[in-house]
């Protein structure tokens, strides 16, 4: 989604704002803008269609020197990507604002404001905030009070930052539904929608809570909660690496993140496993009691996180004997659902800020779930703060819009969780636990082995780059791995891809099979192998173009129309994680050949903080 950066400092802030925007660009990237009060006390705004680089060039040509400013990178919701719709938006020559989120009642507010004489220059929902603030300021003591009154009239989701040319010593900010974090400096303070934006200027952060309004000056931060009471919010030292925003030796963040998976998986397991067992206490205070009682798991997630939930469902039921349902958050939140006794609500999310998942959590909390747990990658995120238990995936910052290491670390986390539940409930015995833990310990080195197939897959990718469609097939827990593979391919290469449970082929999709559509088969050597081989034959008999990613012991042989990518045998239990790697590499290389924007694919954004 959109990104926000703001600063109040003695020094010129344009470089800080630009650097922050660059670090946030992965979230949304159709236009960008900045507004700064310059040394002549003028509010100067510069906006550009396109990426932050376009804004950067604009600022090089016409620098703006000043110590107070706000900046924004946009992912369009209301109004096409254009300079006019780019933020900051202004009310008159004095007020400038930036906004993340969606104002649902913007049409009625716009009508009211038009009647009051305000003129609108964009198609955005955001513009109403600026004019409303200007209106409220006329009858308020100060900007912060005016923002509080404004916020009370907004419906929807917002993280917003405002400034007033007549008093450039302060920024005011409000948060409801879209995250905002205050960065604390020495004699200067900052605001951003993600701490990543500010890591080059501070490591000390204060996370705003829902309904908070705050005023930020060079020397102070004053926070008011939803009731208007002054409150203090804890200060956190960021653990995120300073260079998390650098690609290092890699060409793309996605590539870097794919190759980081051995270390990300080591991190997610650190301190949670002994040599032979899962340390249940490491899942969190009170986890042991909850896990010993849980009879049902309701997983809620979106996109890639949903696919990891779909995979883990097989484990929850087969290994821990606990029933498990998995649902897309945007569906779950708008239907009537039945809460089963002793049911644990489990949200999965890389960002911890996905609007639908967060809304589903909030709704579910009122409906009598035994407890709400999140498996999440961003500490301090909304899901983490609002859940009873947070199991952090510690994958490190994920910048590529296509999620990779977040997926595999979620799976490893859930394998530990399943084992912990099974163990607490006496459904997994000591030997079974030892076997799972041994497989988990070997996971980082197994994943490193999978990564050595990079060049072979790079060659294979040539076959896919000119195709219009691709079908991915898997059975059992490899069906959701196929779903994830198809999501990756469509997302970054723009090739239409679908995933099917291989046994379902004959019920329709077989009609699609011809020599122009690659069919990718995920073929580990497991109990379903013989069934899968029959499905492969169904495709072969119809002249299909097969690419089988197979265990070296599976007995597949290459022939006309069928290529085999022979992969080393790994333990059954962690094999779904292992087979994810070649799928990620395949989509990456196809996208490279097609020349798409791998890290920032069109129309998408990281952290979908709007509904
Ligand atoms: C796909 C992708 C998205 C996210 C989805 C949920 O590669 O990244 O589908 O998985 O938007 O995001 P989180 O996990 O942050 O809740």
């Amino acid at each position: 989604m959109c990104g926000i950066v703001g600063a109040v400092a003695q020094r010129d802030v344009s470089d800080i704002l630009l650097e922050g925007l660059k670090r946030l660009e992965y979230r949304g990237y159709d236009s960008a803008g900045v507004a700064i009060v310059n040394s002549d006390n003028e509010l100067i705004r510069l906006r550009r269609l396109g990426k932050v680089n376009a804004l950067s060039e604009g600022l090089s040509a016409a620098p703006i020197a000043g110590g107070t400013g706000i900046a924004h990178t946009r992912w369009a919701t209301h109004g096409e990507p254009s300079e006019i719709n780019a933020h900051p938006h202004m009310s008159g020559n004095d007020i400038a604002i930036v906004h993340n989120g969606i104002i649902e009642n913007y049409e009625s507010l716009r009508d009211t404001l038009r009647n009051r004489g305000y003129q609108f220059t964009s198609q955005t929902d955001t513009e109403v905030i600026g004019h409303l603030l200007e209106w409220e300021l006329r009858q308020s003591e100060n900007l912060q009070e005016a923002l509080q009154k404004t916020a009370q009239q907004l419906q929807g989701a917002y993280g917003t930052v405002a400034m007033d040319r007549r008093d450039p010593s302060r920024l005011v900010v409000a948060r409801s539904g879209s995250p905002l974090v205050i960065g604390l400096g020495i004699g200067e303070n900052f605001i951003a929608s993600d701490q990543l934006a500010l890591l080059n200027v501070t490591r000390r952060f204060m996370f705003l809570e829902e309904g908070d309004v705050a005023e930020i000056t060079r020397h102070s931060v004053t926070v008011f909660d939803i009731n208007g009471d002054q409150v203090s919010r804890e200060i956190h030292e960021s653990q995120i690496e300073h260079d998390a925003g650098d690609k290092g030796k890699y060409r793309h963040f996605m590539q870097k993140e794919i190759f980081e998976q051995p270390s990300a998986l080591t991190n997610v397991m650190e301190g949670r496993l002994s040599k032979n067992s899962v340390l249940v206490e490491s899942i969190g205070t009170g986890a042991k009691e909850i896990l010993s009682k849980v009879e049902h798991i309701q997983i809620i997630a979106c996109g890639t996180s949903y696919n990891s939930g779909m995979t883990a469902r097989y484990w929850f039921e087969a290994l821990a004997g606990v029933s498990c349902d998995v649902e897309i958050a945007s569906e779950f939140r708008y239907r009537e659902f039945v809460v089963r006794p002793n049911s644990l609500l489990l949200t999965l999310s890389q960002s911890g800020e996905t609007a639908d998942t967060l809304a589903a959590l909030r709704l579910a909390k009122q409906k009598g779930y035994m407890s709400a747990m999140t498996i999440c990658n961003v500490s301090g995120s909304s899901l983490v703060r609002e859940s009873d238990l947070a199991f952090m995936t510690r994958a490190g910052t994920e910048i590529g819009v296509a999620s990779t290491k977040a997926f595999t670390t979620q799976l490893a986390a859930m394998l530990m969780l399943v084992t912990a539940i099974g163990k607490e409930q006496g459904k997994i015995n000591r030997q079974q636990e030892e076997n799972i833990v041994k497989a988990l310990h070997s996971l980082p080195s197994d994943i490193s082995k999978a990564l050595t197939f990079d060049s072979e897959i790079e060659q294979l990718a040539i076959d896919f780059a000119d195709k219009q469609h691709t079908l991915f097939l898997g059975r059992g827990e490899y069906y959701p791995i196929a779903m994830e593979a198809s999501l990756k391919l469509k997302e970054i290469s723009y090739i239409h891809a679908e995933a099917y449970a291989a046994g379902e082929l004959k019920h329709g999709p077989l009609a699609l099979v011809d020599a122009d559509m690659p069919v990718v088969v995920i073929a580990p050597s497991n109990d379903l192998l013989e069934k899968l081989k029959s499905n492969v034959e169904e495709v072969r008999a119809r002249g299909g173009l097969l690419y089988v990613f197979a265990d070296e012991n599976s007995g597949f042989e290459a022939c006309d129309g069928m290529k085999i990518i022979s992969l080393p045998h790994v333990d059954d239990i962690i094999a779904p994680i292992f087979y994810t790697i070649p799928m990620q590499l395949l989509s990456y290389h196809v996208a490279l050949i097609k020349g798409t924007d791998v890290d920032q694919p069109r129309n998408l954004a990281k952290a979908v903080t709007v509904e």
Side-chain angles (χ1 to χ4, degrees), residues 97-108:
I97 65 134
V98 287
H99 162 229
N100 284 0
I102 289 179
I103 303 303
E104 285 172 350
N105 58 337
Y106 81 100
E107 281 173 330
S108 64

Side-chain angles (χ1 to χ4, degrees), residues 97-139:
I97 65 134
V98 287
H99 162 229
N100 284 0
I102 289 179
I103 303 303
E104 285 172 350
N105 58 337
Y106 81 100
E107 281 173 330
S108 64
L109 286 172
R110 195 178 49 198
D111 293 344
T112 311
L113 289 159
R114 274 197 179 123
N115 289 338
R116 290 175 185 162
Y118 289 97
Q119 290 191 353
F120 286 78
T121 55
S122 77
Q123 297 134 11
T124 65
D125 51 338
T126 299
E127 214 181 341
V128 295
I129 305 177
H131 293 320
L132 198 54
L133 182 66
E134 204 279 337
W135 173 262
E136 292 299 344
L137 188 56
R138 296 182 194 187
Q139 32 262 322

